[in-house]
Amino acid sequence: MTNVHTAAEPLVTTTNDGLDERETWSRDRLEEFQLEKLKWSVRHAYENAPMYREKFDDAGVHPDDIREMSDLAKFPFTTKEDLRRAYPFGMFAKPLSEIPRIHASSGTTGRPTVVGYTHNDLDAWATVVARSMRLSGVRPGDMVHNAYGYGLFTGGLGAHAGAEKLGCTVIPMSGGQTDRQVQVIRDFKPRVICCTPSYLLTVMDAMRDMGLDPADSSLEIAILGAEPWTEPMRQEIEKGLGLKATDIYGLSEVTGPGVSGESVDHQQGSTVWEDYFYPEIVDPDDLSRTMPDGEQGELVFTTLQKEALPIIRYRTKDLSVLLPGDARPAFRRMQKITGRTDDMIILRGVNLFPTQIEEIAVEIEHLTPHFILELHRKGRMDSLTVKIESVPGVPQEDITGAAQLLRRLIKNRIGSTVDVETVEPGTLPRSQGKYKRVYDYRMDEADLTRS
Ligand code: DLL
């Protein structure tokens, strides 16, 4: 047994097979720990972050009200807007002198949200990423090609620290310069790649363009996240590269990648590191309703040990379901994210998520997984065009047939009538990180119609 230093609970024992002791706890032991840490975290937020004191006072709640985990539901939510209002450092519960690192997430609109970490927070973050990677089949001594972006985005440095902590050799590639990435994979022969699923498609295409068969690469494990992706996409990636693809989830407001990670043996949703992040599922249409495990809703997280930026009941806007543990029985899993409440497209009254289109598109022969969605407004009617690349070298009549099939399957399975436009291979923008799939021109066109 060796001792490893981690966050607020300073010493965690590591058993010889590399699991830290908490990973082997019973549910009861974990719940006891969670309650103790929740009390600490709520009090820490109240006493050191004025926004929380104000919020809790307004809601008539106090840290003393936490007697059991279910008391958390009495506390108000935290939102991205709270962080934006506090821009840049207003929600920090520690002075900057104790914060060696900041990150920020740009979001699609408005000010970025800025997050900070103490040394203990950074260590805790590395611990959860290391656990996630281990669960994905990565072992000390493996070489890890890290193509998550380094910088303000948490992906690059987060995955990097976790892989180092696990005892791997890290290639700090960051995103972009895809031809160079392919060369490095060919020459250094990493076993593991970390990047967004859409960027891995870009890398696969680049391999093919360079005359290489992606299945011949040294890669055996891909740890993919930062954006929604579907089971058919997993199969496409696994088949193309001849590897196992696992999911990693996280968000900067809660820590970064590693809030949960998926077991390579099960590939059935990712294990939430509940000793650091307490998950709840709430009904997005009635936030006062906490949903039981097994039911879908919006994920909400409370940090249990974070020092620099404690987060109480953060509304992620991500839709998921909490499930019983698999590889780490005490820790619940979350089902793969199907979409964000923000990404939901309402097309003439029918709700749809880009992932539903991905699921169908990836299965159709002669079409590639490269597609974007364009929303237009024609008069009073909204319309959705799926622009999708065809496979190189396929005769036009087969491409037309594939486009018709896609249109029909979307109508049958989702209930929406869409336009499908196939485009030449290689003409849509390629992902360099998080892929922007939806282009919404409806507001511009509504303005044009009015003027
Ligand atoms: O994307 C952290 C991360 C980096 C996770 C690398 C995994 C790998 P943000 O930039 O703050 O942080 O974006 C967080 O990305 O609320 C989800 O909507 C989405 N997201 C993250 N991981 C997944 C995933 C990072 N595995 C937002 N599946 C989250 C689906 C994901 N969506």
Side-chain angles (χ1 to χ4, degrees), residues 148 153-154 226-228 247-252 318 337 340 434:
Y148 283 120
F153 175 54
T154 52
E227 64 186 9
D247 197 18
I248 188 164
Y249 168 84
L251 61 166
S252 26
D318 294 324
I337 305 275
R340 291 174 59 75
K434 284 183 195 265

Side-chain angles (χ1 to χ4, degrees), residues 347-348 374-378 381-385 419:
L347 186 68
R348 299 188 296 267
E374 286 184 355
L375 284 156
H376 294 281
R377 177 156 297 163
K378 294 176 189 155
M381 288 288 269
D382 286 349
S383 70
L384 175 67
T385 304
D419 299 317

